[in-house]
Amino acid sequence: MKKARLKQERTKESVADFKAIQKELLATPYLNPCDQGYKNLQFNRYADDFVVGIIGSRKDAERAKANIRDFLSNTLKLTLSEEKTKVTHSSELINYLGYQFTVRRSRDVKRDKNGTLRRLWYGSTALYVPHDKWVQKLQEYQAFKIVTGKDGKERWKPLHRGKLMHKDAVAIVSQFNAGIRSLYNFYCLAENVSVLNNFHFIMEGGLLKTLAAKGNTTCNKVRKKYERDDVLAIPYMTKSGPKAASSIMMDLPKRPTCLP
């Protein structure tokens, strides 16, 4: 009995020691962060936009910027935009090709496919949807207006789209679906893609109001006539039989796949 208790206590001590060592190991950087001799550079370009990632000091980044400026000016006879070309830390959000991206500093751990605890996120790149991009798209569609409630708070109110009134109901649904699908599929890689639920909410309200205005009726009556399982389904006839043009239903998780 005494031996069994002693063995159990030693097992607990061993487990505690193992967890302490594992915690220390996970907190240890993969590379020496104070190694001033290690440098690395990565370059990405699309059309006339480019981004340069540098592992090094700010002086290294400033020197690389100066070299790029000289190369563009002397060799390609182009002028580097000083307003748009900035040196920023990788932990800050950087605008590039319609996205914002940053380098994660999360020290959270997760088991890999082999069951080993690893810092899978630290040092990896994360993409985000810029707030102004989906708002600009709504403004482009003239899809909403801002009203102030009795409580003094601003609210976004969906508007009908008069430019689509000449189309039939099926074409109107297709037009709205195309606008939602195109924006979502572009940003489906973003960590915060679920913010596009707000975009979808305004677009869906605009679709409902557009159909109501076209039929000279109310939104409630349109819902009662066409809504099935929270989706507007407009029936139409084809050579192969009856079909329905359905609005896109979205309740986005954090990292969904692209819409078909």
Side-chain angles (χ1 to χ4, degrees), residues 4 6 32 34 82 100 127 139 183 192 234 236 245:
L6 182 61
N32 181 8
C34 299
E82 294 294 337
Q100 288 181 326
L127 301 173
Q139 291 172 337
L183 189 71
N192 65 334
I234 311 299
Y236 65 97

Side-chain angles (χ1 to χ4, degrees), residues 8-246:
Q8 186 178 17
E9 290 176 355
R10 287 178 176 175
T11 300
K12 289 181 178 180
E13 290 177 0
S14 298
V15 170
D17 291 341
F18 172 78
K19 288 184 176 180
I21 293 171
Q22 187 180 55
K23 186 176 181 180
E24 183 179 354
L25 178 64
L26 290 171
T28 304
Y30 181 73
L31 298 172
N32 181 8
C34 299
D35 184 3
Q36 300 298 323
Y38 179 77
K39 311 289 182 183
N40 195 7
L41 182 148
Q42 289 191 358
F43 173 82
N44 183 276
R45 180 183 71 87
Y46 183 86
D48 59 348
D49 290 332
F50 66 89
V51 63
V52 180
I54 296 175
I55 296 178
S57 65
R58 185 177 182 87
K59 288 184 178 180
D60 294 329
E62 295 285 2
R63 190 182 305 115
K65 179 182 176 181
N67 291 338
I68 292 171
R69 184 195 304 113
D70 293 342
F71 173 77
L72 290 174
S73 177
N74 300 331
T75 305
L76 301 181
K77 309 303 179 184
L78 298 173
T79 302
L80 184 69
S81 173
E82 294 294 337
E83 181 182 354
K84 295 181 180 179
T85 310
K86 301 178 181 179
V87 175
T88 58
H89 195 269
S90 61
S91 61
E92 300 176 22
L93 286 173
I94 300 165
N95 295 309
Y96 185 55
L97 301 181
Y99 272 89
Q100 288 181 326
F101 76 91
T102 186
V103 177
R104 294 186 180 98
R105 295 297 189 275
S106 173
R107 295 187 178 274
D108 293 340
V109 297
K110 182 181 179 181
R111 295 192 183 277
D112 61 15
K113 61 181 180 180
N114 297 321
T116 305
L117 281 175
R118 295 185 181 277
R119 296 191 301 269
L120 297 178
W121 297 281
Y122 188 84
S124 62
T125 302
L127 301 173
Y128 294 94
V129 182
H131 178 268
D132 61 313
K133 292 298 181 182
W134 62 268
V135 174
Q136 287 175 4
K137 187 59 69 173
L138 288 175
Q139 291 172 337
E140 178 185 321
Y141 292 145
Q142 297 180 345
F144 74 102
K145 67 177 180 180
I146 299 176
V147 298
T148 303
K150 294 181 180 179
D151 55 1
K153 293 183 179 180
E154 289 186 347
R155 290 179 174 82
W156 292 19
K157 186 176 180 180
L159 298 175
H160 80 279
R161 287 164 65 178
K163 293 181 180 180
L164 302 180
M165 296 286 287
H166 66 284
K167 297 187 176 185
D168 59 51
V170 173
I172 292 174
V173 171
S174 297
Q175 188 85 22
F176 273 86
N177 284 349
I180 295 169
R181 187 181 290 110
S182 62
L183 189 71
Y184 172 75
N185 283 346
F186 182 80
Y187 284 114
C188 65
L189 299 176
E191 298 288 322
N192 65 334
V193 69
S194 59
V195 300
L196 294 186
N197 278 321
N198 300 321
F199 174 81
H200 176 260
F201 174 79
I202 299 295
M203 292 288 282
E204 187 179 49
L207 169 60
L208 195 63
K209 289 192 173 185
T210 302
L211 292 174
K214 181 176 179 61
N216 195 25
T217 184
T218 65
C219 292
N220 286 335
K221 288 182 179 180
V222 171
R223 284 187 182 278
K224 187 175 181 180
K225 184 176 180 180
Y226 295 120
E227 194 171 72
R228 302 291 183 274
D229 298 324
D230 296 325
V231 173
L232 294 176
I234 311 299
Y236 65 97
M237 185 62 65
T238 66
K239 292 181 180 179
S240 59
K243 291 187 177 182
S246 300

